[in-house]
Amino acid sequence: MRLVRLGAEPSQVGADIRAAISAWGTGCSVLGGVAAFGCRPPGSPRPLDAVIVLPRGVVVVLGLDLPEPALKVDAPLQTPWRVDGWPLVRTEGAVNPGLEGLESAAALARSLQSRGLEPLPVAAIVVVGPYAGQVTQPTTDLHRGVRVVSPNTTSILAAARELATYEHPCPVEPAQRLLRVLDENCELGLAELAGEGFPESGAVDLATADTMLIPKYTGQPAAAAARRFAPRDRLIAVAAAALVPLCVVIGMWLTLGKPTASPPPRTPPIQRADGVEFAQMVTARDASCAQHSFGDVQRWFEQRSCRSLTRAVFDTQVSGRPAAVSVVIVELPDQGAASELRELADAAGTGGVTDLIAEGSGWPDGPDGFDNAAQAVQQNGNQVRIVQTVWRHRSSSPDDVGLRALAERGLRLTPQP
């Protein structure tokens, strides 16, 4: 693991995090990769203690300072944490540090995707310090790409290995560009990255390379063949040449006489987030937001215009249960307007942006609508994302843990034209 210190750690436990990762040593014999300490990637809602860039994934690391060592930490993602039986009260930020980890991971994933970089999964580790004897996470939360651990070498190493499991390793040159997204001064040579387990870009995977065998031509020269052309063969050739125009005419008549076949259905674009596939079924882009919204949100748009509105609906499955995801991206003139819209859209009973299903853009076997949907709202600069999720063919609830987890994943989706 190559270490790069970009700034001071934002938490006290950050020093323990740096010491724990430093113990892995350089090279790829233990894990490999690059750890950048004290950075704030573009769009990140808070400074990060570290970002670990591995050949098969990226992990953001957040430190949580407890007032004193704890024997047990209960760390669910949907409710406040409990430390030794007492609720962890927070006056600002998300309801708990785990959700802040998801937000930070989603923001970095969008930054990498917008720059066309290697589609590595981005996960999160929350390190609780100065000490946590036992950390308990619900099983369903473990599949969302977040680990809560104590500040020791073994725990952080095990979490990083579990989270960085992308099928294709990131080559050295994309890894260089990825590190520059974290900080322009984060510059490592190709040889240094290769020593940390990133494969060279020019390497050819012979197991997946397409090969084609060209059959050997064993025919004789045309002149020799012509000399052996018998008179009977010439007669047959002349007859065949005369039949060619007739066959062409018959073929054209048959073709024009048949109805034109309809083109095959378009395959919906597929995106992945945390191992879950999302098929984009419908999409739309508009310049006006007021006519595609309702309630207080519509009245807000009537007073403040937006630059663009992008909407899409995705089809997916969670543990075998079919679900639908509505993604809305609103681009506003400035960050101040985006903050106002985020707060308004995140409040209960304030209306929202109309989904495409409600406007009649459904598909066979699709959802009936997004009533009682779980919702996630996120701001990134002057953009606001509103994601709603429902089960298909069964009742939904805004408090459904599975739907809320799906909405968090939906924040990583980008509608395609």
Side-chain angles (χ1 to χ4, degrees):
M1 175 69 66
R2 179 76 57 169
L3 308 182
V4 179
R5 188 166 185 176
L6 301 175
E9 291 86 0
S11 66
Q12 296 180 4
V13 75
D16 297 327
I17 295 173
R18 179 160 42 87
I21 296 177
S22 300
W24 302 345
T26 58
C28 57
S29 58
V30 176
L31 187 63
V34 179
F37 298 101
C39 63
R40 186 168 188 169
S44 178
R46 57 159 287 181
L48 304 175
D49 290 84
V51 176
I52 304 176
V53 180
L54 300 167
R56 296 184 181 271
V58 180
V59 181
V60 301
V61 183
L62 296 79
L64 172 63
D65 294 323
L66 299 176
E68 58 184 12
L71 295 177
K72 184 178 180 181
V73 176
D74 295 314
L77 284 177
Q78 304 301 328
T79 58
W81 289 6
R82 301 184 70 85
V83 180
D84 290 337
W86 294 89
L88 179 65
V89 180
R90 313 193 80 205
T91 58
E92 59 182 13
V95 66
N96 61 58
L99 287 178
E100 283 190 356
L102 278 179
E103 293 174 358
S104 300
L108 179 55
R110 287 195 298 272
S111 296
L112 300 180
Q113 189 175 24
S114 65
R115 290 164 173 80
L117 292 174
E118 200 76 11
L120 294 175
V122 183
I125 297 176
V126 180
V127 181
V128 181
Y131 172 79
Q134 179 184 1
V135 178
T136 303
Q137 286 185 265
T139 304
T140 54
D141 290 353
L142 296 176
H143 297 294
R144 299 179 60 184
V146 179
R147 297 292 185 274
V148 184
V149 300
S150 295
N152 60 68
T153 298
T154 304
S155 299
I156 301 176
L157 176 62
R161 279 178 167 163
E162 290 178 5
L163 296 172
T165 57
Y166 191 60
E167 54 186 345
H168 301 298
C170 176
V172 289
E173 292 180 358
Q176 273 188 326
R177 297 197 298 270
L178 193 157
L179 290 170
R180 284 195 289 268
V181 172
L182 303 180
D183 191 279
E184 294 181 356
N185 299 321
C186 190
E187 187 72 38
L188 294 177
L190 299 180
E192 293 176 299
L193 292 175
E196 295 296 338
F198 296 93
E200 296 182 3
S201 303
V204 179
D205 186 358
L206 296 180
T208 60
D210 293 333
T211 59
M212 179 178 67
L213 293 179
I214 301 177
K216 183 177 180 181
Y217 176 68
T218 57
Q220 298 177 351
R227 284 194 299 268
R228 294 194 304 273
F229 218 104
R232 186 182 62 179
D233 295 334
R234 293 193 183 97
L235 182 60
I236 294 175
V238 170
L243 287 175
V244 169
L246 180 61
C247 293
V248 170
V249 172
I250 295 175
M252 292 177 62
W253 179 78
L254 291 175
T255 301
L256 295 175
K258 293 182 179 180
T260 304
S262 58
R266 183 179 68 93
T267 302
I270 301 294
Q271 298 184 42
R272 292 176 176 83
D274 296 337
V276 179
E277 288 192 353
F278 297 83
Q280 179 178 304
M281 307 302 293
V282 291
T283 184
R285 183 178 175 89
D286 300 279
S288 174
C289 294
Q291 63 180 354
H292 298 291
S293 55
F294 59 95
D296 294 339
V297 173
Q298 184 181 45
R299 287 189 287 273
W300 188 89
F301 279 128
E302 290 173 349
Q303 299 176 4
R304 303 167 184 81
S305 60
C306 67
R307 288 183 175 177
S308 65
L309 171 65
T310 304
R311 295 175 295 169
V313 180
F314 295 81
D315 189 25
T316 187
Q317 286 194 357
V318 179
S319 301
R321 294 181 293 178
V325 181
S326 169
V327 177
V328 173
I329 302 177
V330 182
E331 185 176 352
L332 295 153
D334 52 65
Q335 294 189 18
S339 299
E340 291 182 16
L341 178 60
R342 174 180 56 80
E343 294 177 1
L344 182 62
D346 209 14
T350 58
V353 178
T354 308
D355 62 84
L356 291 175
I357 302 300
E359 293 189 352
S361 298
W363 66 91
D365 200 37
D368 298 328
F370 284 86
D371 294 336
N372 299 318
Q375 178 173 285
V377 182
Q378 189 175 72
Q379 176 191 354
N380 183 15
N382 65 332
Q383 282 190 349
V384 175
R385 289 173 177 258
I386 305 172
V387 176
Q388 292 184 312
T389 55
V390 293
W391 299 118
R392 290 196 287 115
H393 314 311
R394 56 177 293 186
S395 59
S396 304
S397 169
D399 299 324
D400 189 298
V401 175
L403 289 179
R404 293 184 64 177
L406 186 62
E408 294 289 342
R409 289 193 178 101
L411 291 171
R412 307 185 187 184
L413 301 177
T414 301
Q416 303 297 321

